[in-house]
Amino acid sequence: MVDVWRVDASAPARQLIQAAAQRLREGGLVVFPTETVYGLGAHALNPLAVRRVFSLKGRPSSNPLIVHVATFEQARELTADWPAAAERLARRFWPGPLTLVLTKRPHVPPEVTAGGPTVGVRIPSHPVALALLQEAAVPVAAPSANRSAEISPTRAEHVLRSLGNKADFLLLDAGPCPGGVESTVLDMTASPPRLLRPGLITLPMLQEVIGPVAVGPSHTMQEPLRSPGLMPRHYAPHTPLYLIPQQQLETERQRCEREGLRCGIVRLPDDPVCAAAVLYDELHRLDATGYDLLLAPLLPETDEWQAVRDRLARAAHR
Ligand code: TXA
Ligand code: MG
C-alpha cells in the first residue's frame, strides 16, 4: 500500500520525520524529496531493502545506486579512500546536488554498487531529505523515484503516476523539487576526475575547485557503460520527442497539425537554472496530454545548459 504524507518543505514536522526514518531503518521504502528530484529510499546496508528498490523500479541490477548521507563522517565511513579533491568538493558543494564516486568499503553491499568497487555518495540539501537522513542515522540508497528509463519525478504526482498504486512505500510529499534535474555525478577514482552525468553543479564550477576534469562519454559514444545513467535512452516520455531549432518550432507544429498530428511544444524559460527546475514537469504534463508527438528546442552549446541539453537529448533518443 502507498501512504502519502504531506510535509512542510522547509520545516517538516518532527513526528512525521521520525516515523519515516523508522520505516527506513526497518527496511521499508520511503520516497522523499531532494533539491534535485524525488528519491526512492532504502537502508543502504540492508540488501533485501535495496533489492526491493530495483524490483519496484524495474531497474537493471547493473545500474548502481547513489547513497545519501547526512554528514561527512558517514560519507567517509562508506569509502575506502577520501582524496583531498573530494574533501574540497564536498566542502564547497555539500549539502547539494553533487555525487562523488569513490572506492567503497567492503561493508557496502554489492546490491548498491552493482557489484562494482565504487560507491556514489552525496549529502542532499533539501530540508526534508536532510532531516530524514539525520533522524534515520543510516546511509540511504535512493535512485530517482520513477520506473527505470522514464522521466524523473519532481512532484509527488509524478511518483504516483510512474510507480503506481500497487507498490508498498511511504511518500513524503513536500511539493515540487527546486532543482529539477538529477545531481552532477563525478568519478573521483579517475585521474583527472571524470564527469559522468552533468547537473546543476557545472563543469566550470567543478574545475574552479579542483582544476582539470575529464568529461564522460557523450550519449552517442559506444564505450562500455561506466555509469549506466549514460545509457542513451533515458528520462524519456512515452510520446515521441524531436529536437529542432527554436525558431522552427511554431512552423513545424503547424505543418504537423495540417497532417492531422496533434503536436505539443516543450516550452522552457530562457535561463538554464529555471529551465532545469521546470523541465521534467513540462515533459510529464505534455506526455499525459495525449499528443502524437512533442517538439523541443535545441539548446545553446554552453556549460550552463549542459544538464538540460543532456536530459532532452536522452529524452529524444530512439
Ligand atoms: O539527484 C540525484 O542524484 C537523484 C536524487 C534522488 O538524489 N538520484 C538519482 O539516482 O538520480 P539515479 O539512480 O536515478 O541515478 C544515479 C546515477 C546513475 O547514472 C548511476 O549509474 C550513477 O548515478 N552511479 C551511481 N553509483 C555509481 C558508481 N558507483 N559508479 C558510477 N556511476 C554511479
Ligand atoms: Mg534515475
Side-chain angles (χ1 to χ4, degrees):
M1 197 187 72
V2 180
D3 289 321
V4 183
W5 297 350
R6 282 282 319 172
V7 296
D8 189 305
S10 48
R14 187 88 205 273
Q15 312 92 284
L16 296 184
I17 293 297
Q18 282 172 338
Q22 186 172 347
R23 284 220 199 181
L24 279 174
R25 278 197 305 269
E26 290 170 353
L29 304 186
V30 177
V31 175
F32 60 96
T34 79
E35 72 279 24
T36 60
V37 301
Y38 275 84
L40 171 60
H43 187 329
L45 306 181
N46 178 334
L48 282 181
V50 173
R51 274 188 226 157
R52 279 206 294 280
V53 169
F54 278 88
S55 82
L56 185 53
K57 277 184 64 87
R59 182 177 178 110
S61 57
S62 55
N63 192 356
L65 305 184
I66 294 171
V67 180
H68 300 66
V69 294
T71 65
F72 279 44
E73 194 185 328
Q74 279 183 305
R76 283 192 221 100
E77 275 168 19
L78 298 168
T79 55
D81 185 30
W82 185 257
E87 177 75 18
R88 282 206 296 280
L89 288 166
R91 280 181 188 272
R92 175 72 182 76
F93 296 116
W94 281 1
L98 175 66
T99 296
L100 299 176
V101 171
L102 294 150
T103 306
K104 80 174 189 84
R105 288 212 201 184
H107 72 282
V108 179
E111 281 81 359
V112 171
T113 64
T118 61
V119 60
V121 190
R122 82 180 190 99
I123 303 183
S125 64
H126 194 294
V128 174
L130 263 185
L132 180 65
L133 292 166
Q134 273 156 7
E135 185 67 37
V138 295
V140 173
S144 52
N146 54 283
R147 293 277 307 168
S148 186
E150 291 185 353
I151 312 166
S152 293
T154 56
R155 293 175 181 270
E157 305 88 89
H158 303 160
V159 177
L160 293 173
R161 205 181 304 147
S162 185
L163 294 182
N165 275 324
K166 283 169 290 176
D168 193 11
F169 58 83
L170 166 63
L171 167 57
L172 299 179
D173 175 2
C177 301
V181 294
E182 303 84 345
S183 62
T184 304
V185 179
L186 188 66
D187 183 358
M188 300 305 295
T189 68
S191 182
R194 176 170 282 265
L195 181 66
L196 296 180
R197 180 173 72 181
L200 291 175
I201 309 287
T202 63
L203 189 61
M205 290 162 78
L206 298 170
Q207 287 165 333
E208 194 193 311
V209 178
I210 56 164
V213 172
V215 178
S218 80
H219 62 277
T220 52
M221 279 173 72
Q222 303 292 316
E223 253 182 46
L225 295 177
R226 286 247 25 215
S227 175
L230 299 169
M231 281 184 298
R233 186 167 162 78
H234 212 99
Y235 317 105
H238 298 285
T239 319
L241 170 72
Y242 300 91
L243 305 183
I244 61 174
Q246 172 90 43
Q247 62 277 17
Q248 291 170 22
L249 285 174
E250 201 43 51
T251 47
E252 195 56 29
R253 188 183 67 77
Q254 287 169 9
R255 202 177 61 80
C256 291
E257 304 256 316
R258 278 199 300 277
E259 290 174 15
L261 295 170
R262 294 199 58 219
C263 175
I265 295 184
V266 178
R267 307 221 180 252
L268 296 174
D270 291 336
D271 172 76
V273 173
C274 300
V278 299
L279 173 70
Y280 288 151
D281 194 39
E282 180 76 349
L283 290 177
H284 277 285
R285 186 182 66 76
L286 290 166
D287 205 22
T289 308
Y291 287 111
D292 296 308
L293 76 160
L294 304 176
L295 298 176
L298 284 165
L299 298 169
E301 294 279 332
T302 60
D303 291 323
E304 287 64 37
W305 280 98
Q306 192 188 4
V308 178
R309 216 172 51 234
D310 167 81
R311 301 311 190 277
L312 265 183
R314 290 173 203 285
H317 188 92
R318 56 197 59 254

